[in-house]
């Protein structure tokens, strides 16, 4: 989350949408009384060269943030409830949307990254020459993950069933949208680092994780994203 009084904007950081990378880029032009929430894990604050790129600041100025231990991802209702009305109404509010079927695969990879039971595992018979189908294992574990329930990003940009953000970055057109946003806010060009990468297996298109049941479930849960941003399930 960022509250920038310098540039008069509120960044509502959604989940698994390159939010940390964008936040790091935005933090470089924050100063004064601007607030940037810290990362949970300092190891994620490193770009490709190993340099620290995320500048947290001033969270001690928000007693409500510290008291409630909200974290990096502050939802729209919480922001609106705690900020002065002139800030909530007068500052530019923006967040990030992503194709929901792609995002849930990314969420699956992130949430299960330290769970050995959710990784494709070879059995003894694979050592005897039986082919190992990694994708089949991924699909099985993904179906289990989806069936257990997962969070959408509605809480960051939907209030009372409607879009509350003034500007939406789309993950799929991130560079173009960030350039438009920087121009709108009078920010310098944003140099977005690649943070929290390398978690998800890169050789499979997101559609390969799905069967009809998981495809429908993810679509139903993301009705707002589909309605507002016209996202569709794409096949390889």
């Amino acid at each position: 989350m960022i509250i920038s009084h310098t540039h008069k904007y509120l960044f509502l950081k959604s989940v698994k949408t390159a939010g940390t990378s964008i936040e790091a880029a935005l933090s470089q032009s924050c100063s004064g009384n601007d607030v940037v929430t810290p990362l949970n894990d300092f190891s994620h604050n490193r770009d490709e060269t190993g340099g620290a790129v995320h500048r947290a600041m001033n969270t001690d100025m928000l007693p409500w943030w510290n008291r409630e231990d909200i974290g990096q991802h502050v939802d729209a209702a919480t922001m609106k409830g705690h900020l002065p009305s002139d800030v909530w109404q007068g500052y530019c509010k923006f967040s990030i949307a992503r194709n929901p079927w792609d995002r849930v695969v990314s969420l699956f990879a992130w949430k299960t990254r330290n769970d050995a039971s959710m990784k494709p595992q070879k059995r003894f018979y694979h050592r005897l020459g039986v082919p190992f189908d990694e994708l089949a294992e991924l699909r099985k574990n993904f179906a289990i993950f989806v069936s257990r329930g997962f969070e959408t990003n509605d809480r960051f940009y939907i209030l009372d069933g409607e879009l509350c953000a003034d500007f939406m970055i789309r993950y799929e057109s991130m560079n173009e949208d960030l350039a438009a946003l920087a121009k709108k806010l009078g920010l310098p060009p944003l140099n977005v680092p690649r943070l929290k990468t390398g978690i998800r297996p890169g050789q499979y298109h997101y559609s390969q994780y799905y069967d009809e049941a998981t495809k429908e479930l993810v679509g139903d849960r993301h009705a707002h994203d589909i309605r507002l941003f016209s996202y569709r399930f794409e096949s390889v």
Side-chain angles (χ1 to χ4, degrees):
M1 175 198 76
I2 297 179
I3 302 169
S4 176
H5 301 294
T6 304
H7 299 286
K8 293 186 169 21
Y9 72 75
L10 307 174
F11 174 45
L12 295 138
K13 180 182 175 182
S14 54
V15 177
K16 300 318 297 173
T17 56
T20 296
S21 296
I22 291 173
E23 184 179 63
L26 290 166
S27 74
Q28 300 305 309
S29 60
C30 288
S31 61
N33 292 328
D34 293 350
V35 177
V36 183
T37 51
L39 301 180
N40 291 336
D41 187 338
F42 186 73
S43 65
H44 296 143
N45 183 16
R46 298 289 175 185
D47 63 10
E48 297 89 336
T49 67
V53 290
H54 184 282
R55 299 173 61 238
M57 61 182 73
N58 295 327
T59 50
D60 58 323
M61 297 173 62
L62 301 180
W64 57 268
W65 183 83
N66 287 291
R67 183 179 66 250
E68 297 179 15
D69 192 26
I70 296 170
Q72 307 169 49
H73 301 279
V74 182
D75 61 83
T78 299
M79 291 271 274
K80 182 179 180 180
H82 286 290
L83 293 176
S85 59
D86 61 324
V87 172
W88 176 258
Q89 295 173 6
Y91 285 19
C92 177
K93 299 177 287 292
F94 63 92
S95 190
I96 319 164
R98 181 176 182 177
N99 180 297
W101 292 279
D102 185 29
R103 192 192 76 87
V104 173
V105 171
S106 183
L107 186 67
F108 162 69
W110 179 256
K111 292 282 191 181
T112 63
R113 67 192 186 281
N114 297 319
D115 184 352
S117 70
M118 297 294 278
K119 304 295 183 185
Q121 298 182 27
K122 292 184 177 181
R123 308 299 196 272
F124 74 92
Y125 46 80
H126 294 123
R127 293 194 293 270
L128 301 177
V130 176
F132 176 58
D133 191 340
E134 181 186 51
L135 182 56
E137 290 285 310
L138 282 170
R139 284 166 62 93
K140 180 185 70 176
N141 292 335
F142 179 69
I144 294 170
F145 172 81
V146 169
S147 70
R148 290 174 177 170
F150 53 88
E151 66 269 28
T152 72
N153 278 331
D154 286 359
R155 64 192 184 279
F156 300 110
Y157 44 79
I158 302 291
L159 284 177
D160 300 321
E162 297 299 329
L163 185 67
C164 66
D166 304 303
F167 188 97
M168 288 298 297
I169 301 163
R170 297 193 190 210
Y171 179 89
E172 298 78 16
S173 55
M174 186 188 310
N175 291 335
E176 297 88 338
D177 292 347
L178 284 173
L181 179 68
K183 183 176 181 180
K184 177 182 177 68
L185 298 175
L187 299 173
L190 298 173
N191 181 23
V192 181
R194 288 176 54 81
L195 304 178
K196 295 185 178 179
T197 59
I199 303 297
R200 170 176 164 182
Q203 67 267 40
Y204 302 116
H205 186 264
Y206 73 78
S207 63
Q208 294 177 277
Y209 285 75
Y210 286 88
D211 56 25
E212 285 302 315
T214 51
K215 173 184 171 182
E216 183 176 353
L217 196 156
V218 170
D220 288 346
R221 290 288 308 279
H222 290 84
H224 288 303
D225 281 339
I226 293 169
R227 172 176 61 88
L228 291 168
F229 311 118
S230 301
Y231 280 121
R232 295 292 180 265
F233 186 85
E234 304 159 330
S235 299
V236 289

